[in-house]
Amino acid sequence: MIPVCRQEDLPEGESVRVDTAPPIAVFRTDDGSLYAVDDTCTHQDASLSEGWLEGCLIECPLHAAAFDLRTGVPTCLPARHALRTHLVTVEEGVIHVHVTVREGTAA
Amino acid sequence: MRTVTIVGASLAGLYAARELRAQGYDGRLVVVGDEPHPPYDRPPLSKDFLTGRADEDRLALTDAEERAGLDAEWLLGVRARGLDTAARTVLLEDGRTLATDGLVIATGAKARPLPGAHTLRTLDDARALRARLTEGPQQVVVIGGGFIGAETAASCAALGHDVTVLEAAPLPLLPQLGPQMAAVCATLHRRAGVRFRTGTGVTGLRRTGPATAVDLADGHTLSADIVIAGIGAVPNTAWLAGSTLALGDGVLCDEGCVTASPQVVAVGDVARVGGVRAEHWTSATEQPRAAVTNLLAGRTLATPHPVPYFWSDQYGSRIQFAGRYRPGDTVRVTEGELLDEGPGDDGFLARYERDGTTVAVLAVDRPRPFTRARRELGRAVETATT
């Protein structure tokens, strides 16, 4: 379990990158939900925490590949492989990520 | 249509195959490619592949499972030699002929050659250059400061080689970025300790024992262990000579990628769409959708106007550009700042304005605001064309 930041430091529509190996991106969507996925686009070397967040979709800043944050599954080309998703919890006002060990599977 | 043939098995050709199936075409599909490799992605060749950070398995654009789903016949390592538009037949160099109802031309472009120099266009080019670059520190001269030249120079510098970049124009990337931002991007070379000479053409290469002498127009001569030419690309249209298709620095087509023959469309680097030939990854992935729609309809229904977009990774910086620059546009840095005529530590975002309207946007290491600005540009184009 990795502490990320305080709740109030991650506003809606924003993201934060956790420098784990591999790095993880944590997002707070417009409805306040928290999601965590691998930060590196499965298509090419780009950081999804720098991408475009729209609802539960994150769009890669380099080639506009899009992933569903709930499942990690790409919703369009050029990405064809799913991201690992990670459980997010809030404890005493601090956001934590529980890193998934197994490889992500396409739903 | 019972048979559709795609000539060209790279990015645009693969996307055309995907679009044909996605848009419901269920007839025979043949894909012809002159390289022996299944479709692979070229952008990493000058970047992570060259430095050894990525291997060939990272380049694949498709896998066996997808290819099975596309249900196409792949003729790889086979070059097309001609097109008989009247007989609707593609002629192959191995003597075979392919009768086809519809044709997608996706033959791309080839690196402009310079005898005595490496070029970097294909996987085989990159393999050969990568092998040379692992032979210990060497003197590398890169001719051409455009995207391929700059990225290759950056990769060579990262590998510890002594690099000189030569650019014949006063600055590289002038037509794409304009003088102000071309100068800003050019500072990346100097900051990385790469020698960078502009306004000097190369008059010739001479072998001098194990080294190569690079003769410059100003009378100087450089000695190089490895010479790399990144001096542009030439569209692969020679095989279409003698066909009825109009050619002129590419295959001429309308704004829907349709040639003078409604059964023939062209996509990617080889296509001159509505007068413009774009050599960008994004064009190769976007054009096939409209091209296939129009091919299946037998007439031009779709004429998209996407905002041109390209990116380049150099010396650890990511340059992203969207829109169209024209001489006379005003350029303003709206986020971040410039430092010593180059990008500041946190990068920057610059807007190109014409008559008070943003027409293009450039970012160095500012991906999020860039994406926002790129989307705004896209919406502006939609509004202007509907």
Side-chain angles (χ1 to χ4, degrees):
Chain A
M1 184 165 86
I2 300 169
V4 178
C5 63
R6 292 203 58 79
Q7 272 206 93
E8 56 269 30
D9 293 338
L10 185 58
E12 287 169 7
E14 290 298 322
S15 61
V16 61
R17 185 171 183 264
V18 188
D19 284 318
T20 44
I24 289 172
V26 182
F27 297 89
R28 186 189 291 279
T29 58
D30 288 338
D31 67 0
S33 310
L34 290 165
Y35 297 99
V37 295
D38 282 349
D39 182 54
T40 307
C41 180
T42 60
H43 168 242
Q44 239 172 57
D45 192 12
S47 169
L48 294 173
S49 63
E50 298 169 337
W52 181 265
L53 183 62
E54 202 158 323
C56 281
L57 292 183
I58 182 68
E59 182 185 289
C60 171
L62 194 55
H63 295 131
F67 299 88
D68 188 325
L69 290 175
R70 294 164 298 186
T71 58
V73 174
T75 58
C76 67
L77 292 165
R80 298 177 47 247
H81 305 289
L83 299 160
R84 290 184 311 164
T85 56
H86 309 277
L87 179 67
V88 187
T89 57
V90 178
E91 291 167 40
E92 294 178 359
V94 177
I95 296 169
H96 290 78
V97 167
H98 305 251
V99 180
T100 305
V101 181
R102 61 179 180 78
E103 287 296 300
T105 50
Chain B
M1 288 195 182
R2 290 209 300 275
T3 302
V4 173
T5 303
I6 301 170
V7 182
S10 191
L11 188 66
L14 173 65
Y15 270 67
R18 286 173 173 167
E19 282 296 334
L20 278 158
R21 293 309 189 205
Q23 295 187 33
Y25 172 72
D26 61 2
R28 183 181 176 215
L29 178 58
V30 183
V31 186
V32 179
D34 65 344
E35 290 186 62
H37 317 289
Y40 63 89
D41 211 19
R42 296 185 199 277
L45 293 180
S46 52
K47 310 176 183 84
D48 285 355
F49 180 78
L50 209 55
T51 58
R53 273 190 62 200
D55 278 319
E56 290 182 24
D57 55 335
R58 288 299 310 274
L59 302 178
L61 285 168
T62 174
D63 55 27
E65 184 190 4
E66 189 199 19
R67 286 204 293 279
L70 286 172
D71 188 26
E73 297 163 48
W74 297 81
L75 305 179
L76 299 178
V78 182
R79 193 177 290 267
R81 145 177 102 73
L83 171 67
D84 184 336
T85 19
R88 295 197 184 176
T89 305
V90 177
L91 317 171
L92 303 180
E93 268 190 353
D94 63 10
R96 280 181 290 180
T97 57
L98 293 169
T100 191
D101 304 312
L103 176 66
V104 180
I105 297 171
T107 42
K110 62 175 179 290
R112 197 181 298 276
L114 183 66
H118 285 264
T119 50
L120 187 54
R121 177 86 194 177
T122 65
L123 176 55
D124 295 348
D125 294 341
R127 281 176 181 168
L129 184 55
R130 186 161 125 162
R132 287 292 314 275
L133 292 170
T134 55
E135 297 167 4
Q138 295 165 84
Q139 299 271 350
V140 177
V141 171
V142 178
I143 302 169
F147 294 116
I148 297 292
E151 290 180 0
T152 305
S155 296
C156 292
L159 291 168
H161 297 286
D162 181 281
V163 183
T164 303
V165 176
L166 303 174
E167 168 61 48
L171 275 171
L173 306 177
L174 268 175
Q176 293 91 343
L177 304 181
Q180 189 182 347
M181 289 298 146
V184 167
C185 291
T187 62
L188 296 173
H189 294 288
R190 295 194 187 91
R191 284 183 186 177
V194 166
R195 276 185 299 279
F196 182 65
R197 299 176 66 160
T198 58
T200 306
V202 173
T203 54
L205 303 182
R206 289 177 290 119
R207 288 295 292 182
T208 53
T212 301
V214 182
D215 294 323
L216 307 183
D218 62 9
H220 289 89
T221 296
L222 301 175
S223 177
D225 301 309
I226 302 174
V227 182
I228 305 163
I231 49 176
V234 187
N236 290 317
T237 57
W239 69 285
L240 295 166
S243 75
T244 56
L245 299 181
L247 308 174
D249 185 40
V251 177
L252 272 51
C253 25
D254 67 12
E255 295 196 330
C257 298
V258 181
T259 67
S261 163
Q263 293 80 35
V264 182
V265 296
V267 289
D269 286 3
V270 75
R272 180 166 286 279
V273 181
V276 178
R277 194 170 67 81
E279 292 182 347
H280 299 317
W281 188 96
T282 320
S283 315
T285 60
E286 285 174 342
Q287 288 167 352
R289 177 165 299 179
V292 163
T293 298
N294 297 335
L295 181 70
L296 295 177
R299 60 199 177 93
T300 303
L301 296 177
T303 56
H305 293 273
V307 175
Y309 164 65
F310 59 80
W311 84 98
S312 179
D313 296 334
Q314 303 172 16
Y315 306 105
S317 286
R318 176 159 286 165
I319 301 168
Q320 294 177 284
F321 184 92
R324 292 182 182 86
Y325 156 78
R326 271 197 242 147
D329 290 350
T330 313
V331 187
R332 286 192 305 132
V333 173
T334 55
E335 288 193 33
E337 56 186 8
L338 302 182
L339 187 74
D340 299 335
E341 293 163 24
D345 293 342
D346 299 323
F348 69 90
L349 181 88
R351 290 175 180 271
Y352 292 65
E353 287 159 346
R354 194 181 309 152
D355 305 328
T357 308
T358 301
V359 291
V361 59
L362 167 77
V364 177
D365 296 328
R366 289 257 168 168
R368 279 179 84 169
F370 174 83
T371 302
R372 195 174 309 128
R374 181 183 169 193
R375 282 170 166 258
E376 285 166 14
L377 274 177
R379 280 196 293 272
V381 169
E382 274 169 32
T383 314
T385 54
T386 49

